[in-house]
Amino acid sequence: MIKFENIGLRYGVGPEVLRDVHFTLAPGSFHFLSGPSGAGKTSLMRLLYLGIQPTRGEMQMFAQNAQQLDRHKKAFLRQKIGVVFQDFRLLQHLSAFDNVALPLRIQGQKEKDIRKNVEELLKWVGLGDHMNRLPHTLSGGQQQRIAIARAVVTKPRLLLADEPTGNLDDEIGYKLMILFEQLNKTGTTIVIATHNEQMMERFRHPRLVLEDGELSVEDAIYATQTKKILDGVY
Amino acid sequence: MNIFPIKRKDRALGTSEKHTYDIPLDKGSGRLFLTILTGLMVFLMLLSVSAAYILTDFAQNWQTALDGKWTVELPVIDEDGKDLTSKQIEDKSQQLLTTLQEFHAVRTATLLSDEDMKELLSPWFDTDQAKNDNGEEPLLPIPVLISLDMSETGAKAAHDIRMEIEKISPLARLDQHESWLSELLRLTGTLRFVAVLVTIVICSAGTLAVAGAMQSRMAEHKESVELLHLMGAGDQYITRQFQRHAFIIALQGATIGLIISVLFITGLGWYLSGHDETLLPSFTPTPLFWAIFAIVPLSISGLCVLTTRWAVLHRLQKML
């Protein structure tokens, strides 16, 4: 379970970008994180993948107080989290295969197992023929699929994705959402930050809505109804 | 299930090299700097260590060569400053020699021949000029020397010998070689200390430079390091990458430094091979000397790895 209580975040001496953020993510849940640009989505994602520390409040991650963990335990905790970054953050000197294999190597898995799992996953995301290609020789969509494969290869307990379908056409985006759904069914908690209303409509999951640094939680039906009201359907 | 159709494209295009580092450390501006730095460190250290080793060897040679060796010097003038005749010189020499040979603390006493004297003085004098036209009387008052191999070298033995030789010639003098040898040993000791000091300075400066270079490499690859952290890589995992990188570079630099040092020292040895061995004994490298040559590059590489470890861990502690 992930629990944020009265979380506040400010960078340096600037204003608070997140204020009194309070929510709970049950194990195996699936949430969209939405809100206008600059509302603090990326900051909240960074908090979730332990990239930054909140300036106040309490963060419980998998029954541990994330703020009180030492460096070693924090590293171990991060191994349970898969992240798809908006800008992919692939290592450009490594092949598609090695980029995806990286989290498994960090976890110290055997090279034989790594090869089997990574090859299987890359084939599954349609990059079986591009395993040895360097990221910069691949298209944006292909790079995004590598980033996604890297995030899911360890079968993480929490998957965070920042605009994961942003560079993909509708069909591939839909297929990737199916991949996330399948992963979710195996027990992985998923949070997807997105602006894509169409996608949120299609895959009905509760939404964490950030607006001006404050968070509200809407269930899927409520969110859909609100949207329809705003769109003038009712 | 394959949810995406595989499109066959040219496999060769953009194919990656073999996986080496998670962080692209082998591609960067600091690599050449570190190679040159370690090469220079090894070269300078081998020079100073060699100098210290050779000076120690020389000092030991001098000490061994003069251990238990005393010399009695008989000036070829009388108490009034008048030159002694050849006959007088020969008589006094023989008298001294006989006395010394019979002395209890003397193992052997040897009168240095004309040839021995010529050889001894040849670095300073044209010994042919030391004789007059007839070749009988010396133009320069070259003293007679009697070399002693002592079985006892204590103060009492020295005192007793002085008493005995004074009876034959009040001007005869016993030289135990202690004064100039101690000066020479003090000089070599100072030079060895300087060599050790230079070694320490090289190590300290090199350590600081490696630490600085590694911290700048950390800054250069900050994003990659952060990414590894976010994937759950511990400090040790990241540090190992930098350590491996530092070791390979240091070993390359050290090998270059070693080759240059061997060439330099061999060249220097060849250049000095014609020198007079009266003052400087010849130096033959021992297995220990070559062992030092093997140990220094490895030690420098090890030092680079330890410095890198410290610098990277120190920097990582400041990261989230």
Side-chain angles (χ1 to χ4, degrees):
Chain A
M1 184 193 279
I2 293 151
K3 195 173 178 183
F4 277 37
E5 282 183 0
N6 301 317
I7 291 293
L9 175 71
R10 69 169 80 236
Y11 294 106
V13 291
E16 271 198 321
V17 291
L18 293 175
R19 282 190 298 279
D20 299 320
V21 171
H22 188 101
F23 68 89
T24 303
L25 300 178
S29 62
F30 195 132
H31 286 82
F32 287 117
L33 174 63
S34 65
S37 296
K41 291 196 297 295
T42 302
S43 293
L44 185 59
M45 293 293 264
R46 289 178 73 190
L47 283 173
L48 278 164
Y49 61 69
L50 306 173
I52 48 173
Q53 289 267 33
T55 40
R56 63 187 172 87
E58 193 179 314
M59 279 168 59
Q60 289 282 333
M61 304 280 285
F62 313 119
Q64 286 174 296
N65 187 331
Q67 290 137 288
Q68 289 174 0
L69 295 175
D70 62 28
R71 295 180 65 77
H72 179 72
K73 284 181 180 163
K74 201 176 269 185
F76 192 66
L77 196 64
R78 284 184 182 126
Q79 291 182 3
K80 297 175 182 173
I81 304 169
V83 188
V84 183
F85 299 97
Q86 194 172 8
D87 54 355
F88 319 143
R89 296 182 73 171
L90 298 174
L91 292 168
Q92 296 299 322
H93 69 294
L94 295 183
S95 66
F97 179 92
D98 286 326
N99 265 289
V100 178
L102 194 52
L104 298 174
R105 288 192 172 123
I106 287 170
Q107 290 184 9
Q109 293 198 19
K110 288 178 185 168
E111 205 59 33
K112 189 181 153 193
D113 297 337
I114 291 173
R115 180 149 291 279
K116 183 173 164 283
N117 289 334
V118 173
E119 281 181 0
E120 197 175 301
L121 186 60
L122 279 171
K123 280 176 190 165
W124 204 66
V125 297
L127 294 170
D129 258 10
H130 304 299
M131 286 187 201
N132 294 320
R133 296 271 295 269
L134 293 172
H136 65 86
T137 66
L138 298 170
S139 70
Q142 287 169 324
Q143 288 187 39
Q144 196 152 24
R145 276 185 268 163
I146 297 171
I148 290 164
R150 185 180 66 185
V152 303
V153 73
T154 55
K155 299 183 180 70
R157 286 176 68 180
L158 171 65
L159 179 74
L160 305 167
D162 199 355
E163 297 286 358
T165 56
N167 288 320
L168 305 176
D169 60 41
D170 287 349
E171 192 193 343
I172 294 175
Y174 173 75
K175 284 176 177 174
L176 276 174
M177 281 305 295
I178 297 288
L179 171 69
F180 290 146
E181 294 255 308
Q182 286 178 347
L183 201 65
N184 180 236
K185 279 175 190 162
T186 64
T188 300
T189 306
I190 293 179
V191 178
I192 294 177
T194 183
H195 284 108
N196 193 332
E197 275 294 335
Q198 207 180 353
M199 189 176 74
M200 287 190 282
E201 281 289 309
R202 201 166 181 179
F203 297 89
R204 293 191 170 190
H205 294 292
R207 297 181 192 183
L208 303 169
V209 182
L210 260 174
E211 206 150 348
D212 202 20
E214 290 180 6
L215 185 95
S216 57
V217 184
E218 296 177 1
D219 64 35
I221 296 166
Y222 175 78
T224 307
Q225 284 173 347
T226 309
K227 174 77 172 54
K228 284 179 177 172
I229 290 166
L230 290 172
D231 289 348
V233 174
Y234 294 110
Chain B
M1 181 182 72
N2 188 345
I3 62 170
F4 295 102
I6 295 171
K7 291 174 185 171
R8 295 204 170 274
K9 285 188 178 179
D10 181 12
R11 277 171 177 266
L13 181 66
T15 300
S16 76
E17 294 161 19
K18 192 170 177 283
H19 171 252
T20 49
Y21 297 105
D22 296 338
I23 304 164
L25 294 169
D26 46 350
K27 295 175 179 66
S29 53
R31 191 184 172 91
L32 183 65
F33 168 74
L34 275 177
T35 311
I36 293 171
L37 180 73
T38 46
L40 206 60
M41 276 171 74
V42 167
F43 175 68
L44 293 174
M45 267 195 75
L46 281 175
L47 282 193
S48 57
V49 168
S50 302
Y53 187 91
I54 291 168
L55 285 171
T56 305
D57 188 70
F58 281 0
Q60 278 172 354
N61 278 349
W62 286 326
Q63 265 183 315
T64 309
L66 294 173
D67 198 23
K69 306 281 185 196
W70 290 357
T71 307
V72 171
E73 183 185 316
L74 175 67
V76 289
I77 51 171
D78 61 17
E79 291 85 345
D80 302 326
K82 288 179 183 170
D83 292 345
L84 297 176
T85 61
S86 297
K87 178 85 174 60
Q88 285 172 315
I89 294 169
E90 199 177 330
D91 288 347
K92 278 189 183 287
S93 304
Q94 282 304 322
Q95 203 178 343
L96 261 178
L97 187 65
T98 311
T99 307
L100 289 168
Q101 277 171 340
E102 287 168 2
F103 196 77
H104 66 92
V106 174
R107 197 176 289 124
T108 57
T110 315
L111 183 68
L112 265 64
S113 64
D114 281 351
E115 284 69 33
D116 292 336
M117 291 301 290
K118 271 185 186 177
E119 197 184 332
L120 202 62
L121 296 171
S122 59
W124 296 280
F125 296 108
D126 179 0
T127 46
D128 289 339
Q129 294 298 312
K131 297 278 181 186
N132 67 6
D133 292 341
N134 301 325
E136 290 171 357
E137 298 297 328
L139 291 176
L140 290 169
I142 300 168
V144 171
L145 296 180
I146 297 171
S147 173
L148 305 179
D149 182 11
M150 304 300 295
S151 56
E152 286 173 37
T153 54
K156 187 177 181 307
H159 177 262
D160 290 348
I161 287 181
R162 281 198 182 96
M163 296 297 286
E164 287 297 322
I165 61 175
E166 243 178 60
K167 286 178 197 166
I168 300 164
S169 168
L171 295 177
R173 196 170 65 84
L174 175 69
D175 187 355
Q176 293 171 274
H177 309 300
E178 277 170 353
S179 55
W180 72 270
L181 184 62
S182 64
E183 286 298 315
L184 211 54
L185 291 178
R186 201 163 62 180
L187 176 69
T188 54
T190 307
L191 290 173
R192 269 186 299 179
F193 174 73
V194 170
V196 171
L197 205 65
V198 167
T199 305
I200 292 168
V201 169
I202 292 166
C203 281
S204 308
T207 303
L208 287 174
V210 170
M214 277 303 160
Q215 293 212 340
S216 75
R217 301 227 77 186
M218 284 279 288
E220 190 183 340
H221 299 291
K222 188 169 178 271
E223 280 188 18
S224 301
V225 171
E226 274 179 355
L227 183 66
L228 290 181
H229 258 157
L230 294 178
M231 286 183 197
D235 290 349
Q236 295 295 332
Y237 181 92
I238 295 166
T239 307
R240 271 200 299 273
Q241 305 238 336
F242 280 89
Q243 279 177 221
R244 179 170 168 249
H245 170 66
F247 184 68
I248 291 169
I249 288 183
L251 214 55
Q252 286 172 346
T255 307
I256 294 168
L258 175 68
I259 291 167
I260 294 172
S261 305
V262 170
L263 290 176
F264 182 81
I265 289 170
T266 309
L268 196 68
W270 175 79
Y271 177 73
L272 295 175
S273 60
H275 80 277
D276 196 313
E277 293 183 8
T278 310
L279 279 178
L280 289 182
S282 64
F283 172 73
T284 310
T286 59
L288 176 66
F289 182 76
W290 293 120
I292 290 171
F293 263 64
I295 289 166
V296 166
L298 288 173
S299 305
I300 292 284
S301 303
L303 185 69
C304 283
V305 170
L306 287 176
T307 306
T308 299
R309 181 179 173 76
W310 174 82
V312 172
L313 280 174
H314 183 71
R315 186 92 178 190
L316 285 174
Q317 294 293 322
K318 292 179 181 171
M319 295 173 80
L320 198 65

